[in-house]
Coordinates of all heavy atoms in Angstrom, one line a residue:
V1 N 212.2 26.2 114.7 CA 211.7 27.4 115.3 C 212.1 27.6 116.8 O 211.4 27.0 117.6 CB 210.1 27.6 115.1 CG1 209.6 28.8 115.6 CG2 209.7 27.4 113.6
P2 N 213.1 28.2 117.0 CA 213.5 28.5 118.5 C 212.5 29.3 119.1 O 212.0 30.4 118.6 CB 214.9 29.0 118.4 CG 215.3 28.9 117.1 CD 214.1 28.7 116.2
V3 N 212.1 29.0 120.4 CA 211.2 29.8 121.1 C 211.8 30.1 122.5 O 212.4 29.2 123.1 CB 209.9 29.0 121.3 CG1 208.9 29.8 122.2 CG2 209.2 28.7 120.0
I4 N 211.7 31.3 123.0 CA 212.1 31.6 124.4 C 210.9 31.5 125.3 O 209.8 32.0 125.0 CB 212.7 33.1 124.5 CG1 214.0 33.1 123.7 CG2 212.9 33.4 125.9 CD1 214.6 34.4 123.7
S5 N 211.0 30.6 126.3 CA 209.8 30.5 127.2 C 209.2 31.7 127.7 O 210.0 32.7 128.0 CB 210.2 29.5 128.3 OG 210.7 28.3 127.8
P6 N 207.9 31.8 128.0 CA 207.3 33.0 128.5 C 207.9 33.3 129.9 O 208.2 32.4 130.7 CB 205.8 32.5 128.6 CG 205.6 31.4 127.7 CD 207.0 30.7 127.6
L7 N 207.9 34.6 130.2 CA 208.5 35.1 131.4 C 207.3 35.5 132.5 O 206.2 35.8 132.1 CB 209.3 36.2 131.2 CG 210.5 36.1 130.2 CD1 211.1 37.5 129.9 CD2 211.5 35.2 130.9
P8 N 207.7 35.3 133.7 CA 206.7 35.8 134.8 C 206.3 37.2 134.6 O 207.1 38.0 134.1 CB 207.4 35.5 136.0 CG 208.5 34.7 135.7 CD 208.9 34.9 134.3
A9 N 205.1 37.5 135.0 CA 204.6 38.9 134.8 C 205.5 39.9 135.6 O 205.6 41.1 135.0 CB 203.1 39.0 135.3
D10 N 206.0 39.6 136.6 CA 206.9 40.5 137.4 C 208.4 40.6 136.9 O 209.2 41.2 137.6 CB 206.8 40.3 138.9 CG 207.3 39.0 139.3 OD1 207.5 38.1 138.4 OD2 207.5 38.7 140.5
C11 N 208.7 39.9 135.9 CA 210.1 39.9 135.4 C 210.5 41.2 134.8 O 209.8 41.8 134.0 CB 210.2 38.7 134.3 SG 211.9 38.6 133.8
P12 N 211.7 41.7 135.3 CA 212.2 42.9 134.7 C 212.8 42.9 133.4 O 213.3 43.9 132.9 CB 213.3 43.4 135.7 CG 213.7 42.1 136.3 CD 212.6 41.2 136.3
L13 N 212.9 41.7 132.8 CA 213.4 41.6 131.5 C 212.4 41.7 130.3 O 211.3 41.1 130.4 CB 214.1 40.3 131.4 CG 215.4 39.9 132.3 CD1 215.9 38.5 132.1 CD2 216.4 41.0 132.2
V14 N 212.8 42.4 129.3 CA 211.9 42.6 128.1 C 212.7 42.0 126.9 O 213.8 42.5 126.7 CB 211.5 44.0 128.0 CG1 210.7 44.2 126.7 CG2 210.8 44.6 129.2
F15 N 212.1 41.1 126.2 CA 212.7 40.5 125.0 C 212.1 41.2 123.7 O 210.9 41.5 123.7 CB 212.5 39.0 124.9 CG 213.2 38.2 125.9 CD1 212.9 38.1 127.2 CD2 214.3 37.5 125.5 CE1 213.5 37.4 128.1 CE2 215.1 36.7 126.3 CZ 214.7 36.7 127.7
S16 N 212.9 41.4 122.8 CA 212.5 42.0 121.6 C 211.5 41.2 120.8 O 210.5 41.7 120.2 CB 213.7 42.3 120.6 OG 214.4 41.1 120.3
T17 N 211.5 39.8 121.0 CA 210.6 38.9 120.4 C 210.9 37.6 121.2 O 211.9 37.3 121.8 CB 210.9 38.7 118.9 OG1 210.0 37.7 118.5 CG2 212.3 38.1 118.7
L18 N 209.9 36.8 121.2 CA 209.9 35.5 121.9 C 210.0 34.3 121.0 O 210.0 33.1 121.4 CB 208.8 35.3 122.9 CG 208.7 36.3 124.0 CD1 207.4 36.0 124.9 CD2 210.0 36.2 124.9
L19 N 210.0 34.6 119.7 CA 209.9 33.6 118.6 C 210.7 34.0 117.5 O 210.8 35.2 117.1 CB 208.5 33.3 118.2 CG 208.2 32.4 117.1 CD1 208.4 31.0 117.6 CD2 206.8 32.5 116.6
H20 N 211.5 32.9 116.9 CA 212.2 33.3 115.6 C 212.1 32.0 114.7 O 212.3 30.9 115.2 CB 213.7 33.6 115.9 CG 214.5 33.9 114.7 ND1 214.3 35.0 113.9 CD2 215.3 33.1 114.0 CE1 215.1 34.9 113.0 NE2 215.7 33.8 112.9
D21 N 211.8 32.3 113.5 CA 211.8 31.2 112.4 C 213.0 31.4 111.5 O 213.1 32.5 110.8 CB 210.5 31.3 111.7 CG 210.3 30.2 110.8 OD1 211.2 29.4 110.5 OD2 209.1 30.0 110.3
F22 N 213.9 30.4 111.5 CA 215.0 30.6 110.5 C 214.6 30.4 109.1 O 215.4 30.5 108.2 CB 216.1 29.5 110.9 CG 217.0 30.0 112.1 CD1 216.8 29.2 113.3 CD2 217.7 31.1 112.2 CE1 217.6 29.5 114.5 CE2 218.4 31.4 113.2 CZ 218.4 30.7 114.4
G23 N 213.4 29.8 108.9 CA 212.9 29.5 107.5 C 213.6 28.2 107.1 O 214.1 27.4 107.7
I24 N 213.9 28.2 105.7 CA 214.5 27.1 105.0 C 216.0 27.4 105.1 O 216.4 28.4 104.6 CB 214.1 26.9 103.6 CG1 212.6 26.6 103.7 CG2 214.8 25.8 102.9 CD1 211.9 26.5 102.3
I25 N 216.7 26.4 105.7 CA 218.2 26.6 105.8 C 219.0 25.4 105.3 O 218.3 24.3 105.1 CB 218.6 26.8 107.3 CG1 218.2 25.6 108.2 CG2 218.0 28.1 107.9 CD1 218.8 25.6 109.6
S26 N 220.3 25.6 105.1 CA 221.2 24.5 104.6 C 221.2 23.5 105.8 O 221.1 23.8 107.0 CB 222.5 25.0 104.4 OG 223.5 24.1 104.4
D27 N 221.4 22.2 105.5 CA 221.5 21.2 106.5 C 222.9 21.0 107.1 O 223.2 20.0 107.8 CB 220.9 19.9 106.1 CG 221.5 19.3 104.9 OD1 222.6 19.9 104.4 OD2 221.2 18.1 104.6
T28 N 223.8 21.9 106.7 CA 225.2 21.8 107.1 C 225.7 22.9 107.9 O 226.6 22.8 108.8 CB 226.1 21.6 105.9 OG1 225.9 22.6 105.0 CG2 225.7 20.2 105.1
D29 N 225.2 24.2 107.6 CA 225.8 25.4 108.1 C 225.0 25.8 109.4 O 223.7 26.0 109.2 CB 225.9 26.6 107.2 CG 226.7 26.2 106.0 OD1 227.9 25.4 106.3 OD2 226.5 26.6 104.9
P30 N 225.6 26.1 110.6 CA 224.8 26.6 111.6 C 224.2 28.0 111.4 O 224.8 28.8 110.5 CB 225.9 26.8 112.7 CG 227.0 25.9 112.4 CD 226.9 25.9 110.8
V31 N 223.2 28.3 112.0 CA 222.5 29.6 111.8 C 222.3 30.2 113.2 O 222.2 29.5 114.2 CB 221.2 29.5 111.1 CG1 221.3 29.2 109.6 CG2 220.3 28.5 111.8
S32 N 222.3 31.6 113.3 CA 222.1 32.2 114.6 C 221.2 33.4 114.5 O 220.9 33.9 113.4 CB 223.6 32.8 115.0 OG 224.5 31.8 115.2
H33 N 220.7 33.7 115.7 CA 219.7 34.8 115.8 C 220.0 35.5 117.1 O 220.2 34.8 118.2 CB 218.3 34.4 115.7 CG 217.3 35.4 115.9 ND1 217.1 36.4 115.1 CD2 216.6 35.9 117.1 CE1 216.2 37.3 115.5 NE2 215.9 37.0 116.7
A34 N 220.1 36.8 117.2 CA 220.3 37.5 118.4 C 219.0 38.1 118.9 O 218.3 38.9 118.3 CB 221.2 38.7 118.1
F35 N 218.6 37.6 120.0 CA 217.3 38.1 120.8 C 217.8 39.3 121.6 O 218.8 39.2 122.4 CB 216.8 37.1 121.6 CG 216.1 36.0 121.0 CD1 216.8 34.8 120.7 CD2 214.8 36.0 120.5 CE1 216.2 33.7 120.0 CE2 214.1 35.0 119.9 CZ 214.8 33.9 119.6
K36 N 217.3 40.4 121.5 CA 217.6 41.6 122.2 C 216.8 41.5 123.7 O 215.6 41.2 123.7 CB 217.0 42.9 121.7 CG 217.6 43.2 120.3 CD 219.1 43.7 120.5 CE 219.6 44.1 119.1 NZ 221.0 44.3 119.0
V37 N 217.6 41.7 124.7 CA 217.0 41.5 126.1 C 217.3 42.7 126.9 O 218.6 43.1 127.0 CB 217.7 40.3 126.9 CG1 217.0 40.0 128.2 CG2 217.6 39.0 126.0
K38 N 216.4 43.4 127.5 CA 216.6 44.7 128.1 C 216.1 44.5 129.5 O 215.1 43.9 129.9 CB 215.8 45.8 127.6 CG 216.1 47.1 128.1 CD 215.4 48.2 127.5 CE 215.8 49.6 128.1 NZ 215.4 50.8 127.3
N39 N 217.0 45.1 130.4 CA 216.6 45.1 132.0 C 215.9 46.4 132.2 O 216.5 47.4 132.1 CB 217.9 45.0 132.7 CG 217.7 45.1 134.2 OD1 216.6 45.3 134.7 ND2 218.8 45.1 135.0
T40 N 214.7 46.3 132.5 CA 213.9 47.6 132.8 C 213.9 47.9 134.3 O 213.2 48.9 134.6 CB 212.5 47.3 132.3 OG1 211.8 46.2 133.1 CG2 212.3 47.1 130.8
S41 N 214.6 47.2 135.1 CA 214.7 47.5 136.6 C 215.7 48.6 136.9 O 216.7 48.9 136.0 CB 214.8 46.3 137.4 OG 216.1 45.8 137.3
A42 N 215.8 48.9 138.1 CA 216.8 49.9 138.6 C 218.0 49.1 139.2 O 219.0 49.8 139.7 CB 216.3 50.9 139.6
T43 N 218.1 47.8 139.1 CA 219.2 47.0 139.7 C 219.6 46.0 138.7 O 218.9 45.7 137.8 CB 218.8 46.3 140.9 OG1 217.7 45.4 140.6 CG2 218.3 47.2 142.1
P44 N 220.9 45.6 138.7 CA 221.3 44.6 137.9 C 220.6 43.3 137.9 O 220.1 42.9 139.0 CB 222.8 44.4 138.2 CG 223.2 45.6 139.1 CD 221.9 46.1 139.7
V45 N 220.5 42.6 136.8 CA 219.8 41.3 136.7 C 220.9 40.3 136.2 O 221.5 40.5 135.2 CB 218.6 41.2 135.8 CG1 218.0 39.8 135.6 CG2 217.5 42.2 136.3
R46 N 220.9 39.2 137.0 CA 221.9 38.1 136.5 C 221.1 37.0 135.9 O 220.2 36.4 136.5 CB 222.6 37.6 137.7 CG 224.1 37.5 137.3 CD 225.0 37.4 138.6 NE 226.0 36.4 137.9 CZ 226.6 35.5 138.6 NH1 226.6 35.4 139.8 NH2 227.4 34.7 138.0
L47 N 221.6 36.5 134.8 CA 220.9 35.3 134.1 C 221.7 34.1 134.7 O 222.8 33.8 134.4 CB 221.1 35.3 132.6 CG 220.5 36.6 131.9 CD1 220.7 36.5 130.4 CD2 219.1 36.7 132.3
L48 N 221.1 33.4 135.6 CA 221.7 32.3 136.4 C 221.5 30.9 135.6 O 222.3 29.9 135.7 CB 221.1 32.1 137.7 CG 221.4 33.4 138.6 CD1 220.7 33.1 139.9 CD2 222.9 33.5 138.8
N49 N 220.3 30.8 134.9 CA 220.1 29.4 134.3 C 219.5 29.6 132.9 O 218.3 29.8 132.7 CB 219.2 28.7 135.2 CG 218.9 27.3 134.8 OD1 219.6 26.7 133.9 ND2 218.0 26.6 135.3
V50 N 220.4 29.5 131.9 CA 219.9 29.6 130.5 C 220.3 28.3 129.9 O 221.4 27.9 129.7 CB 220.5 30.8 129.7 CG1 220.1 30.8 128.3 CG2 220.2 32.1 130.5
H51 N 219.3 27.6 129.3 CA 219.6 26.3 128.6 C 218.7 26.1 127.4 O 217.5 26.4 127.4 CB 219.7 25.2 129.7 CG 218.3 24.8 130.2 ND1 217.9 25.5 131.3 CD2 217.4 23.9 129.9 CE1 216.6 25.0 131.6 NE2 216.3 24.1 130.8
A52 N 219.3 25.4 126.5 CA 218.6 25.1 125.2 C 218.0 23.6 125.3 O 218.4 22.9 126.2 CB 219.5 25.1 124.0
S53 N 217.0 23.4 124.5 CA 216.3 22.1 124.7 C 217.1 20.9 124.2 O 216.8 19.7 124.5 CB 215.0 22.2 123.8 OG 215.3 22.6 122.5
C54 N 218.2 21.2 123.5 CA 219.1 20.0 123.0 C 220.4 20.5 122.7 O 220.7 21.8 122.7 CB 218.5 19.4 121.8 SG 218.7 20.4 120.3
G55 N 221.4 19.7 122.5 CA 222.8 20.0 122.3 C 223.1 20.6 121.0 O 224.2 21.2 120.8
C56 N 222.1 20.6 120.1 CA 222.3 21.2 118.7 C 222.1 22.7 118.7 O 222.3 23.4 117.8 CB 221.5 20.5 117.7 SG 219.7 20.7 118.0
T57 N 221.6 23.2 119.8 CA 221.3 24.6 120.0 C 222.0 25.1 121.2 O 222.0 24.6 122.3 CB 219.8 24.8 120.3 OG1 219.0 24.1 119.2 CG2 219.3 26.2 120.3
T58 N 222.8 26.3 121.0 CA 223.5 26.9 122.1 C 223.1 28.3 122.2 O 222.6 29.0 121.3 CB 225.0 26.7 121.8 OG1 225.4 27.5 120.5 CG2 225.4 25.4 121.8
A59 N 223.4 28.9 123.3 CA 223.1 30.4 123.6 C 224.5 31.0 124.2 O 225.2 30.4 124.9 CB 222.1 30.5 124.6
K60 N 224.8 32.2 123.6 CA 225.9 33.0 124.1 C 225.3 34.3 124.5 O 224.5 35.1 123.8 CB 226.8 33.2 123.0 CG 228.1 33.8 123.3 CD 229.1 33.8 122.1 CE 230.4 34.3 122.5 NZ 231.4 34.4 121.3
Y61 N 225.8 34.8 125.7 CA 225.2 36.0 126.3 C 226.1 36.5 127.4 O 226.8 35.7 128.0 CB 223.8 35.7 126.8 CG 223.8 34.6 127.9 CD1 223.8 34.8 129.2 CD2 223.7 33.3 127.4 CE1 223.8 33.8 130.1 CE2 223.6 32.3 128.3 CZ 223.7 32.6 129.7 OH 223.8 31.5 130.5
D62 N 225.9 37.8 127.8 CA 226.4 38.3 129.0 C 225.5 38.0 130.2 O 224.4 38.1 130.2 CB 226.5 39.9 129.0 CG 227.5 40.4 127.9 OD1 228.5 39.7 127.6 OD2 227.3 41.4 127.4
D63 N 226.1 37.4 131.3 CA 225.2 36.9 132.3 C 224.7 37.9 133.3 O 223.9 37.7 134.0 CB 226.0 35.8 133.1 CG 227.2 36.3 133.8 OD1 227.6 37.4 133.7 OD2 227.6 35.5 134.7
T64 N 225.2 39.2 133.2 CA 224.7 40.3 134.0 C 224.3 41.4 133.0 O 225.0 41.8 132.2 CB 225.7 40.8 135.1 OG1 226.2 39.7 135.8 CG2 225.2 41.9 135.9
I65 N 223.1 41.9 133.3 CA 222.4 43.0 132.6 C 222.1 44.1 133.6 O 221.4 44.0 134.5 CB 221.1 42.6 131.8 CG1 221.2 41.3 131.1 CG2 220.6 43.7 131.0 CD1 219.9 40.7 130.7
G66 N 222.9 45.2 133.3 CA 222.8 46.4 134.2 C 221.5 47.0 134.0 O 220.7 46.8 133.1
P67 N 221.1 48.0 135.0 CA 219.8 48.7 134.9 C 219.7 49.6 133.6 O 220.7 50.2 133.2 CB 219.9 49.6 136.1 CG 221.0 49.1 137.0 CD 221.9 48.4 136.1
G68 N 218.7 49.3 132.9 CA 218.4 50.0 131.6 C 219.2 49.4 130.5 O 219.1 49.9 129.4
Q69 N 220.1 48.5 130.7 CA 221.0 48.0 129.6 C 220.3 47.0 128.7 O 219.4 46.2 129.2 CB 222.2 47.3 130.2 CG 223.2 46.8 129.3 CD 224.4 46.1 130.0 OE1 224.4 45.8 131.2 NE2 225.3 45.8 129.3
E70 N 220.7 46.9 127.5 CA 220.2 45.8 126.6 C 221.4 45.0 126.2 O 222.4 45.5 125.8 CB 219.5 46.5 125.4 CG 218.9 45.5 124.4 CD 218.1 46.2 123.3 OE1 218.8 46.8 122.4 OE2 217.0 46.3 123.4
I71 N 221.1 43.7 126.1 CA 222.2 42.8 125.5 C 221.6 41.9 124.5 O 220.4 41.9 124.2 CB 222.7 41.8 126.7 CG1 221.6 40.9 127.1 CG2 223.4 42.6 127.8 CD1 222.1 39.6 127.9
D72 N 222.5 41.3 123.7 CA 222.2 40.3 122.7 C 222.3 38.9 123.2 O 223.4 38.5 123.8 CB 223.0 40.4 121.5 CG 222.7 41.5 120.6 OD1 221.6 42.1 120.7 OD2 223.6 42.0 119.8
L73 N 221.2 38.1 123.2 CA 221.3 36.7 123.6 C 221.3 36.0 122.3 O 220.2 35.9 121.7 CB 220.1 36.3 124.5 CG 220.1 35.1 125.2 CD1 219.2 35.1 126.4 CD2 219.8 33.9 124.3
V74 N 222.5 35.5 121.9 CA 222.6 34.8 120.6 C 222.4 33.4 120.7 O 223.1 32.6 121.3 CB 224.0 35.2 120.1 CG1 224.1 34.6 118.6 CG2 224.2 36.7 119.9
L75 N 221.4 32.9 119.9 CA 221.1 31.6 119.9 C 221.6 31.0 118.6 O 221.4 31.6 117.5 CB 219.5 31.4 119.9 CG 219.0 29.9 119.8 CD1 217.9 29.8 120.9 CD2 218.5 29.6 118.5
T76 N 222.3 29.8 118.6 CA 222.9 29.2 117.4 C 222.4 27.8 117.3 O 222.4 27.0 118.2 CB 224.4 29.2 117.4 OG1 224.8 30.6 117.5 CG2 225.0 28.6 116.2
F77 N 221.8 27.5 116.1 CA 221.3 26.2 115.8 C 222.2 25.4 114.8 O 222.5 26.0 113.8 CB 219.9 26.2 115.3 CG 219.3 24.9 114.8 CD1 219.2 23.8 115.6 CD2 219.0 24.7 113.3 CE1 218.8 22.6 115.1 CE2 218.6 23.6 112.9 CZ 218.4 22.5 113.7
S78 N 222.6 24.3 115.2 CA 223.5 23.5 114.1 C 222.6 22.4 113.6 O 222.4 21.4 114.3 CB 224.7 22.9 115.0 OG 225.5 22.2 114.0
P79 N 222.3 22.5 112.3 CA 221.4 21.5 111.8 C 222.1 20.2 111.2 O 221.4 19.3 110.8 CB 220.8 22.3 110.5 CG 221.9 23.1 110.1 CD 222.7 23.6 111.4
K80 N 223.4 20.1 111.3 CA 224.1 18.9 110.9 C 223.5 17.6 111.4 O 223.3 17.4 112.6 CB 225.6 18.9 111.4 CG 226.3 17.9 110.7 CD 227.9 18.1 111.0 CE 228.7 17.0 110.2 NZ 230.1 17.1 110.6
G81 N 223.1 16.8 110.5 CA 222.6 15.4 110.8 C 221.1 15.5 111.1 O 220.5 14.5 111.5
R82 N 220.4 16.6 110.9 CA 219.0 16.7 111.1 C 218.4 17.0 109.8 O 218.8 17.7 108.8 CB 218.7 17.8 112.1 CG 219.2 17.4 113.5 CD 219.1 18.5 114.5 NE 219.4 18.1 115.8 CZ 220.6 17.6 116.2 NH1 221.6 17.7 115.3 NH2 220.8 17.3 117.4
S83 N 217.1 16.6 109.6 CA 216.3 17.0 108.4 C 214.8 17.2 108.8 O 214.4 16.8 109.9 CB 216.5 15.8 107.3 OG 215.8 14.6 107.9
G84 N 214.2 18.0 108.0 CA 212.8 18.3 108.3 C 212.6 19.4 109.3 O 213.7 20.0 109.7
R85 N 211.5 19.8 109.5 CA 211.1 20.8 110.4 C 211.6 20.6 111.8 O 211.4 19.5 112.4 CB 209.7 21.1 110.5 CG 209.3 22.3 111.3 CD 207.8 22.5 111.2 NE 207.4 22.9 109.8 CZ 207.3 24.2 109.4 NH1 207.6 25.1 110.2 NH2 206.9 24.4 108.1
Q86 N 212.3 21.6 112.4 CA 212.9 21.4 113.8 C 212.3 22.5 114.7 O 212.1 23.6 114.2 CB 214.4 21.6 113.8 CG 215.2 20.6 112.9 CD 215.2 19.3 113.5 OE1 215.6 19.0 114.6 NE2 214.8 18.2 112.8
Y87 N 211.9 22.1 116.0 CA 211.5 23.1 116.9 C 212.4 22.9 118.0 O 212.6 21.9 118.6 CB 210.1 22.6 117.4 CG 209.0 22.8 116.3 CD1 208.6 21.7 115.5 CD2 208.4 24.0 116.0 CE1 207.8 21.8 114.5 CE2 207.5 24.1 115.0 CZ 207.1 23.0 114.2 OH 206.2 23.2 113.3
K88 N 213.0 24.1 118.4 CA 213.9 24.1 119.5 C 213.4 25.2 120.5 O 212.9 26.3 120.1 CB 215.4 24.5 119.1 CG 215.9 23.4 118.1 CD 215.9 22.1 118.5 CE 216.2 21.0 117.4 NZ 216.0 19.7 117.8
S89 N 213.8 25.1 121.8 CA 213.4 26.1 122.7 C 214.7 26.5 123.6 O 215.6 25.8 123.7 CB 212.3 25.6 123.7 OG 212.7 24.5 124.4
L90 N 214.5 27.7 124.2 CA 215.5 28.3 125.1 C 214.9 28.7 126.3 O 213.9 29.5 126.2 CB 216.2 29.3 124.5 CG 217.4 30.0 125.2 CD1 218.5 29.1 125.3 CD2 217.8 31.3 124.5
T91 N 215.3 28.2 127.4 CA 214.7 28.5 128.7 C 215.6 29.6 129.4 O 216.7 29.2 129.7 CB 214.4 27.3 129.6 OG1 213.5 26.4 128.9 CG2 213.7 27.7 130.9
V92 N 215.1 30.7 129.8 CA 215.9 31.7 130.7 C 215.3 31.8 132.1 O 214.1 31.9 132.3 CB 215.8 33.1 129.9 CG1 216.5 34.1 130.7 CG2 216.2 33.0 128.6

């Protein structure tokens, strides 16, 4: 269950959701989920530090979000070599 860490109250970014459950997946094929991220401010916002809790989880995204723009922050989890319930997080 990847989780995006809570954001400060004054953050101009709005996420479509802060939690995603991939459910039951194959233990060989990577799975991905796109979190929608919107900049609600009047100025561009740059994502300077986005990192996953482990090497089996990666994030792909545009590092600058223009005013009013929405991007996809795509999280991919590779389950190879893992079994059982997994909890992963992404810090923005």
Side-chain angles (χ1 to χ4, degrees):
V1 178
V3 177
I4 295 181
S5 299
L7 299 171
D10 61 346
C11 181
L13 299 179
V14 174
F15 286 78
S16 58
T17 183
L18 296 179
L19 177 70
H20 179 73
D21 184 347
F22 286 114
I24 298 172
I25 61 171
S26 161
D27 63 353
T28 57
D29 298 323
V31 290
S32 296
H33 176 73
F35 290 92
K36 301 284 186 191
V37 183
K38 185 172 184 174
N39 175 3
T40 60
S41 75
T43 59
V45 172
R46 226 167 140 213
L47 302 178
L48 298 175
N49 188 12
V50 177
H51 64 277
S53 59
C54 73
C56 63
T57 306
T58 59
K60 188 174 183 179
Y61 56 93
D62 293 331
D63 65 349
T64 302
I65 309 171
Q69 182 183 9
E70 183 176 78
I71 65 163
D72 286 336
L73 192 156
V74 180
L75 182 134
T76 300
F77 170 66
S78 179
K80 188 174 182 180
R82 290 169 175 70
S83 63
R85 186 173 295 268
Q86 300 286 310
Y87 294 93
K88 306 301 175 190
S89 63
L90 183 68
T91 303
V92 178

